[in-house]
Amino acid sequence: MTTTASELTFRLEQKRRVQADFPGPKSVALTERRKAVVAAGVASSVPVYVADADGGIIHDVDGNSFIDLGSGIAVTSVGASDPAVVGAVKEAVEHFTHTCFMVTPYESYVALAEQLNRLTPGDHEKRTVLFNSGAEAVENAVKVARLATGRDAVVAFDHAYHGRTNLTMALTAKAMPYKTNFGPFAPEVYRMPMSYPYREENPSITGAEAAKRAITMIEKQIGGDQVAAIIIEPIQGEGGFIVPAEGFLPALADWAKEKGIVFIADEVQSGFCRTGEWFAVNHEGVVPDILTMAKGIAGGMPLSAITGRADLLDAVHPGGLGGTYGGNPVACAAALAAIGSMEEYNLAGRARHIEALATGRLQKLQAELAASGSAVIGDIRGRGAMLAIELVQTGSKEPNPELTKAVAAACLKDGVIILTCGTYGNVIRLLPPLVITDELLNDGLDVLAAAIKANA
């Protein structure tokens, strides 16, 4: 299929429509019910309740229609109700919902492992294990690395986000809301400086030089021969969609290989065509030892995976990997269908088209604001349909989280759902479904531009 979305058809009309009484009475009533039964620690950024979703549109229970520029945090890349995924799920459910692969296995698990071995970087022999969440995939990748190397230390990076379990909280950089008061955390985790081009003290530092800076610190503080794994998001997610300078990832990967360190690419958010390639490491030809996946893998069904070198994963003793629900048959069927849709619709190409369309418009907006004396867009970055706007105080690089919140609220009021992120809370992240139409995307960008102008 071509990289345009014009040939796709959707159940729901792909237009936004927000009534005056937003949030509506049904959403308000559900919020009251929720307060009585759902833990306060589970937060939602949008005060409406979903009734239906398709393509790039979300309908709430009160009849409002929102443009979805978040995809459930990069999950519904093929749309929230892709016909192929829906059909595969229905067919799987009619046969069995669960047997546990560790007890009585089934073909869909094997078939999905074959697909992941095919799609992930490198032509070496690979093995795959399926789990439920991104954090679970990360935990198991570290387990494998420690067992295979006989070492303990794990290196993570500034601005990283890897999950909310105990080990992944230790790997995650941001304290609030992810780590505060939840310690003590898993030991033998060391944090190194990330390549963050927009905020480097030396703006001319290259990716290779930034990697050398981190490597020098690792050698001094830990010792390369003590490190089991380096884990890094090729494009950082919650930390602010930070794209490291070119050469940073290859230099780290090369050094890890030289030292016998397992290089783990955390592609939970950046994988499955999101950045214009099947995986973000492909942009620089990096071949990780282990790659972690989740989010976009299964069209919205809960599933995650690690795929890596056969010698590493096969080093684990029988029973050392797995889990009751890992590789659930319905989720496997959904993943196989979602991968099929990604290939059929050329969603990697579609992501590159989205990047060109959105980046051009955002750069024009940045120039207009600067010319008017409101230079609040400090940086525009990202790859494919994983794009970010870093908002700052005019005339400086001082983070502007207040403006970021105001823009998100204004967009929502006008029927556009956007997500925020960043270590400093000042980044708008754009993660539209890869099947979104140009018309709908442009409408959403119109609303976003107006919200930034009105609040700058």
Side-chain angles (χ1 to χ4, degrees):
M1 185 177 176
T2 63
T3 57
T4 67
S6 59
E7 296 175 38
L8 289 172
T9 58
F10 302 99
R11 290 184 300 104
L12 302 180
E13 184 182 21
Q14 300 294 290
K15 289 187 177 180
R16 65 183 170 97
R17 181 179 62 256
V18 180
Q19 300 170 34
D21 61 344
F22 164 81
K26 292 181 180 179
S27 283
V28 170
L30 280 166
T31 297
E32 291 305 309
R33 287 173 57 188
R34 168 185 175 151
K35 289 177 182 178
V37 294
V38 178
V42 181
S44 299
S45 58
V46 177
V48 301
Y49 286 75
V50 178
D52 204 353
D54 183 40
I57 283 289
I58 291 175
H59 283 192
D60 77 358
V61 292
D62 292 291
N64 298 300
S65 300
F66 299 88
I67 299 175
D68 179 14
L69 297 185
S71 299
I73 315 183
V75 170
T76 55
S77 296
V78 296
S81 53
D82 175 61
V85 173
V86 172
V89 168
K90 285 180 177 178
E91 205 236 329
V93 165
E94 288 175 352
H95 292 286
F96 55 95
T97 59
H98 175 75
T99 69
C100 185
F101 191 77
M102 297 186 302
V103 180
T104 49
Y106 34 88
E107 182 184 5
S108 57
Y109 189 117
V110 177
L112 181 54
E114 291 171 339
Q115 290 283 58
L116 297 179
N117 291 357
R118 174 179 69 89
L119 293 169
T120 49
D123 56 6
H124 53 281
E125 190 175 0
K126 302 172 190 174
R127 298 289 185 268
T128 288
V129 188
L130 304 179
F131 303 102
N132 304 288
S133 69
E136 195 177 352
V138 168
E139 291 249 0
N140 279 276
V142 171
K143 277 171 55 177
V144 169
R146 283 175 165 165
L147 182 146
T149 63
R151 306 172 185 176
D152 297 327
V154 179
V155 171
F157 289 84
D158 285 341
H159 311 289
Y161 177 83
H162 295 289
R164 302 179 193 235
T165 58
N166 187 267
L167 173 59
T168 57
M169 280 192 293
L171 295 169
T172 292
K174 191 173 182 178
M176 191 69 182
Y178 305 116
K179 302 170 69 170
T180 302
N181 297 326
F182 291 138
F185 303 114
E188 287 302 302
V189 172
Y190 300 85
R191 194 166 315 286
M192 295 297 148
M194 180 63 178
S195 171
Y196 191 163
Y198 178 66
R199 293 198 172 274
E200 289 283 3
E201 290 185 12
N202 174 11
S204 65
I205 188 171
T206 67
E209 290 167 342
K212 185 178 180 180
R213 175 181 62 191
I215 289 167
T216 299
M217 290 181 65
I218 295 169
E219 290 282 23
K220 287 181 177 179
Q221 297 183 18
I222 314 165
D225 60 352
Q226 301 300 304
V227 179
I230 291 173
I231 183 166
I232 189 167
E233 303 156 273
I235 298 177
Q236 290 185 318
E238 180 62 27
F241 280 28
I242 300 166
V243 183
E246 186 175 350
F248 182 75
L249 293 173
L252 284 177
D254 289 346
W255 180 77
K257 184 176 182 179
E258 176 189 330
K259 294 293 183 178
I261 298 167
V262 177
F263 187 82
I264 303 171
D266 182 347
E267 295 256 13
V268 167
Q269 187 161 172
S270 58
F272 293 96
C273 302
R274 175 55 56 181
T275 68
E277 295 281 353
W278 274 98
F279 297 97
V281 288
N282 293 0
H283 288 281
E284 292 192 72
V286 173
V287 178
D289 298 304
I290 298 176
L291 192 146
T292 67
M293 298 159 271
K295 291 191 182 292
I297 191 173
M301 295 296 288
L303 186 72
S304 67
I306 63 172
T307 297
R309 284 169 30 204
D311 61 304
L312 294 175
L313 272 73
D314 282 348
V316 180
H317 50 272
L321 299 171
T324 301
Y325 293 106
N328 170 270
V330 180
C332 285
L336 289 166
I339 289 169
S341 290
M342 291 173 198
E343 293 189 309
E344 179 184 355
Y345 304 147
N346 185 18
L347 292 189
R350 178 65 190 161
R352 293 190 294 271
H353 174 80
I354 289 171
E355 176 184 0
L357 188 159
T359 301
R361 293 205 50 185
L362 295 174
Q363 289 173 342
K364 182 180 178 182
L365 173 64
Q366 183 181 34
E368 289 175 358
L369 287 166
S372 68
S374 298
V376 294
I377 296 182
D379 194 28
I380 296 166
R381 57 178 178 261
R383 286 193 168 115
M386 186 174 181
L387 301 173
I389 307 166
E390 182 159 357
L391 297 178
V392 294
Q393 304 288 344
T394 295
S396 74
K397 290 188 178 182
E398 185 67 24
N400 198 336
E402 295 81 11
L403 174 59
T404 308
K405 291 178 184 176
V407 169
C411 285
L412 182 62
K413 189 175 180 180
D414 280 338
V416 178
I417 295 172
I418 63 169
L419 306 178
T420 62
C421 65
T423 297
Y424 313 107
N426 67 320
V427 176
I428 292 170
R429 52 177 162 176
L430 302 178
L431 291 164
L434 302 183
V435 297
I436 193 170
T437 65
D438 285 4
E439 180 183 9
L440 199 62
L441 178 59
N442 274 313
D443 188 24
L445 292 172
D446 285 342
V447 171
L448 173 60
I452 294 175
K453 289 178 178 178
N455 289 278

